[in-house]
Amino acid sequence: MITFRDHRIASDLKGGYQVVAADMNRDGRPDLIALGLGMSELVWYENPGWQRRVITGGLSRMVNVYPADVDGDGIPELVLASGFDPDPAKSAGNISVLKRRSDPGEPWQVTEIDRLPTSHRIRWADIDGGGSKVAVNLPLAGARAVPPEYRDRVPLVFYRPGGWKRELISEEIQGIAHGFKVFDWDGDGRDEIVTASFEGVHLFRRGSDGRWRSTRLAAGDPSPWPKSGASEIAAGRLGRQRFLSTIEPWHGHQVVVYHEKDGKWERSVIDDSFVEGHAHAVADLDNDGRDEIIAGYRGAGGGVYVYSAADDRGERWVRRALDAGGIPASSCAVADFNGDGRPDIACIGGSLLKWYENAGTLR
């Protein structure tokens, strides 16, 4: 059994929404970037003492940020989505690029590159396979969508550093598109995109002709629209066998695992007790070659749980509490924060930011 020690980093956040692990000062240790819908400052916490550092202020309704060292100076550039509202008619959807100035004590330079209503999830992706990355933006909904049905097409777009011009990947997804994962799906050296939406789980692949094509891998929760589909998506491995994990439906109550069999992805609900599920990650926490699922919810009694496969095929999963009732978890990140070779977990939600030190496996 994997054991963890609970450490509190901050308890004064307003609407803590996302935490990201990144080395912000070139010291080789992963730090933590934190944002919240009620916060006006984008901040990071310096490992190991977790001193609070302000990146920049004067922001509103920050919903997502993602780092990548685009210019090769060892300090990541950040792409930030702010001005968020789940109602497209009320959402500015600001997309900005943040770069550290020569004086580390000064606020970072903020350059707005786009406005796309309900811009919600940002990730970097190497879509060409050459090592250069683009910033991918998945809004929550289409610009003409109206709650609660949200019946409009969602634009999945990307921006190339330098020109930062919006380029369209697809407008196939309809309804709410809540989460996506970027990774090399087929081992060709290029990143693909897997999305979670009202219409289920979709794979987007870019062909040699530059055109994107999509495949629906799974329908997600079979309940009628708008309670259908999936909300979060992650991918892992049990040895050589790949699996997908989701939270279903949108802000849903189910933790779900998918295994591929005869070209189809079979659905298995491993937990249906969540209230507004939101935090979701996959990582090999005990370095045994089999990934665990980390999932949490932010509704009543919110907490974070770890799911371990009890067999090589992942047909049965064992749930253990990481923080039962201790945090209304909205986001979690995994990194080795103390340099002991074991992956640790950081989670954010409400007023809290915590990290959970991986103390190893009890036999």
Side-chain angles (χ1 to χ4, degrees), residues 45-99:
Y45 294 87
E46 185 176 354
N47 188 354
W50 305 113
Q51 294 87 356
R52 182 180 185 272
R53 312 294 189 195
V54 176
I55 297 171
T56 191
L59 301 166
S60 65
R61 305 292 295 176
M62 292 181 290
V63 71
N64 226 236
V65 68
Y66 221 72
D69 183 13
V70 177
D71 59 12
D73 67 352
I75 302 296
E77 284 69 51
L78 309 177
V79 176
L80 173 71
S82 60
F84 175 77
D85 192 283
D87 184 344
K90 301 175 182 177
S91 175
N94 310 84
I95 301 295
S96 303
V97 178
L98 283 66
K99 181 175 177 58

Side-chain angles (χ1 to χ4, degrees), residues 9-267:
I9 295 174
S11 57
D12 59 351
L13 307 179
K14 294 181 179 180
Y17 189 86
Q18 186 199 17
V19 60
V20 181
D23 183 0
M24 297 290 286
N25 55 359
R26 288 183 298 200
D27 67 354
R29 291 187 292 237
D31 308 297
L32 290 171
I33 307 170
L35 60 74
L37 289 166
M39 297 167 59
S40 61
E41 293 178 327
L42 181 63
V43 300
W44 65 282
Y45 294 87
E46 185 176 354
N47 188 354
W50 305 113
Q51 294 87 356
R52 182 180 185 272
R53 312 294 189 195
V54 176
I55 297 171
T56 191
L59 301 166
S60 65
R61 305 292 295 176
M62 292 181 290
V63 71
N64 226 236
V65 68
Y66 221 72
D69 183 13
V70 177
D71 59 12
D73 67 352
I75 302 296
E77 284 69 51
L78 309 177
V79 176
L80 173 71
S82 60
F84 175 77
D85 192 283
D87 184 344
K90 301 175 182 177
S91 175
N94 310 84
I95 301 295
S96 303
V97 178
L98 283 66
K99 181 175 177 58
R100 197 184 77 168
R101 301 181 190 272
S102 55
D103 180 354
E106 291 185 9
W108 288 34
Q109 177 182 337
V110 180
T111 304
E112 184 177 296
I113 62 168
D114 199 8
R115 292 191 177 189
L116 188 59
T118 72
S119 290
H120 178 253
R121 290 289 171 91
I122 304 290
R123 297 292 183 268
W124 291 91
D126 180 0
I127 62 173
D128 298 317
S132 299
K133 295 184 177 182
V134 302
V136 181
N137 175 18
L138 179 64
L140 185 76
R144 296 179 299 276
V146 178
E149 292 287 321
Y150 288 97
R151 290 192 180 274
D152 190 23
R153 297 185 180 276
V154 184
L156 175 61
V157 304
F158 71 90
Y159 312 91
R160 293 186 184 274
W164 299 112
K165 180 183 177 182
R166 185 201 302 174
E167 298 184 49
L168 182 66
I169 296 173
S170 171
E171 288 183 303
E172 296 175 46
I173 300 172
Q174 297 193 62
I176 291 290
H178 192 259
F180 73 100
K181 173 77 174 176
V182 169
F183 63 106
D184 185 356
W185 172 270
D186 51 15
D188 66 352
R190 298 180 297 175
D191 284 333
E192 282 75 44
I193 300 167
V194 182
T195 62
S197 72
F198 274 8
E199 295 187 317
V201 177
H202 286 77
L203 168 66
F204 290 87
R205 305 166 77 171
R206 189 169 184 260
S208 57
D209 59 359
R211 295 179 59 189
W212 291 85
R213 296 170 177 84
S214 69
T215 304
R216 187 162 88 158
L217 303 178
D221 190 303
S223 300
W225 187 299
K227 298 295 184 181
S228 58
S231 185
E232 302 287 347
I233 179 71
R237 287 192 175 275
L238 300 174
R240 296 182 179 181
Q241 179 185 337
R242 175 161 47 197
F243 70 88
L244 300 174
S245 175
T246 59
I247 291 177
E248 297 179 1
W250 178 34
H251 293 169
H253 61 290
Q254 301 166 333
V255 181
V256 180
V257 172
Y258 289 91
H259 293 289
E260 189 176 17
K261 185 177 180 180
D262 299 328
K264 296 182 179 180
W265 290 87
E266 296 185 344
R267 180 176 185 263

